[in-house]
Amino acid sequence: METNIQTTATRTVERSARRSRSSVPLFLAAWVLLIGGGVIGTVWYTGQVKAKLTQDISVQTAQQITAMQQNYDKQLKEMQTRFTGELTTVQGKVDALNELLQFTKDNANSKTDNSNKLFSQLNEVKKELAALQKSLDVLK
């Protein structure tokens, strides 16, 4: 019986040794599969997050560009309106100056000399009339 117990004990030890030897590579293979799955999952998830961020940034950039373009167009229209108003004002001043120059040119001919002569003669007549009035007052 002792021999039988020894053989059973050695068989049990041998079986557990065989099981532990075959379970170590199986355990390592399972860990390698888990780690590999984790790495692949991480790469896939990172790609998804990167694509989502890229899309979000593209949308934000497009919105900002649109807003900037609308602001630029608005400012450009305001400047055009102001420029047109200022140009109209300057054109009015130029027209008034041209009218004044034309008036001066028209009055710079011989009529002006005649007008000046008439004005001078009128002043002389007024002076003589004032002198005559004084003489008349003295006679009274």
Side-chain angles (χ1 to χ4, degrees):
M1 204 153 110
E2 280 186 34
T3 54
N4 194 10
I5 293 177
Q6 285 180 351
T7 37
T8 307
T10 54
R11 283 185 194 164
T12 307
V13 172
E14 288 176 5
R15 282 185 196 163
S16 63
R18 272 191 251 149
R19 282 185 192 164
S20 67
R21 284 185 214 145
S22 64
S23 66
V24 170
L26 185 62
F27 179 75
L28 290 176
W31 270 106
V32 167
L33 285 174
L34 283 174
I35 292 172
V39 168
I40 290 172
T42 303
V43 169
W44 175 81
Y45 181 73
T46 304
Q48 294 294 322
V49 169
K50 181 180 175 184
K52 176 77 170 124
L53 284 175
T54 302
Q55 183 182 8
D56 290 347
I57 290 172
S58 295
V59 168
Q60 287 177 353
T61 303
Q63 289 173 346
Q64 288 176 349
I65 287 172
T66 302
M68 287 174 58
Q69 188 173 11
Q70 289 173 348
N71 189 21
Y72 174 77
D73 289 341
K74 179 182 171 187
Q75 288 179 353
L76 186 62
K77 286 179 183 178
E78 288 175 359
M79 286 178 60
Q80 278 182 320
T81 304
R82 272 190 305 205
F83 181 71
T84 303
E86 289 177 11
L87 191 61
T88 303
T89 304
V90 170
Q91 184 64 40
K93 289 179 181 179
V94 167
D95 290 342
L97 185 59
N98 281 338
E99 288 176 12
L100 183 60
L101 287 173
Q102 187 64 36
F103 178 76
T104 304
K105 179 182 172 188
D106 290 344
N107 288 333
N109 60 18
S110 62
K111 291 181 184 177
T112 303
D113 293 338
N114 291 338
S115 174
N116 285 341
K117 287 179 187 176
L118 288 173
F119 184 73
S120 298
Q121 288 175 356
L122 185 61
N123 278 338
E124 287 177 22
V125 169
K126 283 183 183 179
K127 286 179 186 177
E128 287 179 18
L129 185 61
L132 286 172
Q133 186 69 33
K134 284 182 185 179
S135 298
L136 186 62
D137 288 338
V138 171
L139 289 175
K140 286 185 184 178

